Amino acid sequence: MSEAQDLRKRSKKRYGGGHRSKKYKGSRELEVGMQGVLITCNMNERKCTAEAFNLLNEYADQLYGPENFKEPEESSSEEEEDEDVEAALKKEVKQLKASSGKLQRRFQAMDSGANNVIFIKTKNLDPEKLVHHILSDLHITKKNKSRVILRMLPVSGTCKAFQEDMDKYLSVFLEPWFKAPNQGSYQIAFKARNSSHNKRDDIIKALAGLVGKMNPKNKVDLTTPELTIIVEVIKSVCCVSVVRDYTLYRKYNLQEVAKEEGPKDGKQEEIKSNQEEKDGKQEEIKSNQEEKDGKQEEIKSNQEEKDGKQEEIKLNQEEKDGKQEEGKDAPKTDRERKGEEEK
């Protein structure tokens, strides 16, 4: 019985049982030094990965042309005879690596280290340029080309997710956009997943201070910034990129950017419209208040006029009463006395 159990255990180890899946997963994890695209989805990661490959390859073909696969060159038998054993082994290893599909593909799915998030590693292309091209096309055509993909964020650089490492890396990484004479308005979009040692406020404050030192003319703009610094922390890896049109393209959300918005010129037009509406309401309130004050003044004037008339009536009444009293106390005439005597 024990021998059968040993055989089963050995067969599991030999044919992929046990901890093989963990080892395979760990060999394709997001690591420092990678570039690529970070993609969020709604529960279905496998379908999200398939959609991502289709979408990325479609637009990469437009920008960079179809993907080419180079076959390893075979050496002639004469050359092999002239080489020693060590050189032949090195050459064989090199050819095996060159023939590996994983190393040749420009897109490779990696384990991001967070649920509902996948990372597509890129090779020999600019992830920021590619993602912006995708969103620009979706924004213009309003064609929704994904069902489960939510946001698609380029990752132009990665470093260790510790404050000291991030400061050192970003002080060099951000220079092309923010170091004098370069300048621009910006905002910071920060998100941490499965990481407890990175505090949002601390990271944003440190990053804003770093950008300010590069050029004092760099200004924070949370409404319509020219640039957005994306900082995505997953476990111990910090993914960063600097993108344009982050607000216009709905925070790089593929579902939202493809929705019809009507004749509006982006977020700026919406803000302008809201401000005009707000100003109009304030003017209306002011006008209503003036009208109310005018009515109150009119009421006050009418009240004073009414009080004046009542005072006039009162004076007339007093004058009338005075005349009646005067007539009562006046001396009787001879005619009145004679009439009384006859009676």
Side-chain angles (χ1 to χ4, degrees):
M1 188 72 176
S2 60
E3 291 181 2
Q5 290 177 346
D6 290 340
L7 285 171
R8 281 197 297 270
K9 287 181 180 180
R10 284 198 295 269
S11 64
K12 283 183 179 180
K13 291 180 180 178
R14 182 177 179 181
Y15 295 108
H19 301 284
R20 184 191 174 197
S21 59
K22 283 188 177 181
K23 184 177 179 181
Y24 175 74
K25 186 178 181 181
S27 64
R28 298 175 59 188
E29 289 182 347
L30 170 61
E31 297 176 353
V32 173
M34 291 182 176
Q35 286 187 328
V37 182
L38 203 64
I39 300 171
T40 63
C41 62
N42 189 7
M43 302 302 291
N44 198 333
E45 293 185 17
R46 181 173 293 182
K47 191 172 182 179
C48 176
T49 303
E51 278 190 0
F53 276 126
N54 291 334
L55 203 59
L56 292 171
N57 277 304
E58 176 186 348
Y59 286 93
D61 288 347
Q62 296 177 12
L63 288 177
Y64 304 101
E67 189 173 11
N68 294 322
F69 300 96
K70 294 182 180 180
E71 295 294 335
E73 297 179 358
E74 296 182 359
S75 58
S76 63
S77 58
E78 294 180 357
E79 291 176 344
E80 289 180 358
E81 291 175 359
D82 296 333
E83 294 174 346
D84 57 17
V85 176
E86 184 177 356
L89 287 173
K90 287 182 179 180
K91 190 168 185 178
E92 185 177 357
V93 170
K94 185 178 180 180
Q95 289 176 350
L96 288 172
K97 288 182 178 180
S99 63
S100 174
K102 294 178 183 178
L103 295 177
Q104 289 293 314
R105 301 304 298 265
R106 59 188 172 190
F107 299 117
Q108 183 180 354
M110 313 293 286
D111 176 31
S112 68
N115 292 330
N116 300 324
V117 181
I118 65 172
F119 181 77
I120 305 295
K121 180 183 175 182
T122 59
K123 183 180 179 183
N124 299 328
L125 55 83
D126 183 355
E128 192 279 326
K129 181 180 179 181
L130 176 60
V131 173
H132 189 276
H133 179 61
I134 294 172
L135 288 160
S136 176
D137 184 64
L138 297 181
H139 179 71
I140 294 171
T141 62
K142 296 301 178 185
K143 291 182 180 180
N144 192 348
K145 296 187 176 183
S146 67
R147 291 186 178 183
V148 295
I149 294 177
L150 298 179
R151 299 174 70 204
M152 183 174 280
L153 304 174
V155 177
S156 300
T158 50
C159 65
K160 292 182 179 179
F162 298 98
Q163 189 68 60
E164 184 178 350
D165 298 281
M166 292 171 65
D167 291 344
K168 184 178 179 181
Y169 180 79
L170 291 172
S171 62
V172 178
F173 177 82
L174 296 174
E175 286 183 352
W177 296 276
F178 299 106
K179 188 175 181 179
N182 299 319
Q183 67 179 71
S185 60
Y186 71 96
Q187 68 175 347
I188 300 170
F190 175 82
K191 176 73 175 179
R193 296 179 175 87
N194 298 337
S195 176
S196 59
H197 61 276
N198 290 287
K199 303 299 181 183
R200 173 186 173 84
D201 293 341
D202 295 341
I203 298 296
I204 292 178
K205 184 177 179 180
L207 187 52
L210 187 63
V211 174
K213 287 180 181 179
M214 291 183 178
N215 190 341
K217 293 183 179 180
N218 295 322
K219 301 298 181 182
V220 175
D221 185 351
L222 303 180
T223 306
T224 54
E226 296 172 339
L227 301 168
T228 298
I229 305 172
I230 298 176
V231 181
E232 292 275 339
V233 173
I234 303 179
K235 290 185 176 180
S236 62
V237 179
C238 174
C239 304
V240 295
S241 61
V242 179
V243 301
R244 298 182 182 275
D245 302 317
Y246 186 72
T247 306
L248 176 63
Y249 294 159
R250 304 295 186 180
K251 298 182 178 180
Y252 279 34
N253 188 311
L254 271 62
Q255 304 286 338
E256 295 295 326
V257 78
K259 289 182 179 179
E260 293 289 347
E261 299 176 3
K264 289 185 179 180
D265 187 17
K267 190 71 174 179
Q268 192 169 6
E269 185 65 27
E270 182 181 351
I271 293 167
K272 183 179 178 182
S273 176
N274 291 339
Q275 185 63 38
E276 289 175 351
E277 184 178 353
K278 184 179 178 181
D279 294 341
K281 287 183 179 179
Q282 288 178 342
E283 189 67 29
E284 183 180 353
I285 291 170
K286 184 179 178 181
S287 177
N288 291 339
Q289 184 63 38
E290 291 175 351
E291 184 179 353
K292 184 179 178 182
D293 293 341
K295 286 183 178 179
Q296 288 179 342
E297 188 67 28
E298 183 180 355
I299 292 170
K300 184 179 178 181
S301 177
N302 292 338
Q303 184 64 38
E304 290 175 352
E305 184 179 352
K306 183 179 178 182
D307 293 341
K309 287 183 178 180
Q310 288 178 344
E311 186 68 25
E312 185 180 352
I313 292 170
K314 185 178 179 182
L315 289 172
N316 292 337
Q317 184 64 37
E318 289 177 352
E319 185 179 353
K320 183 178 179 182
D321 293 343
K323 287 182 179 180
Q324 288 178 349
E325 189 66 30
E326 182 181 352
K328 183 178 180 182
D329 295 338
K332 297 180 180 180
T333 63
D334 294 340
R335 189 175 180 178
E336 288 175 345
R337 283 198 301 268
K338 187 178 180 180
E340 289 179 357
E341 288 175 358
E342 289 179 355
K343 289 180 180 180

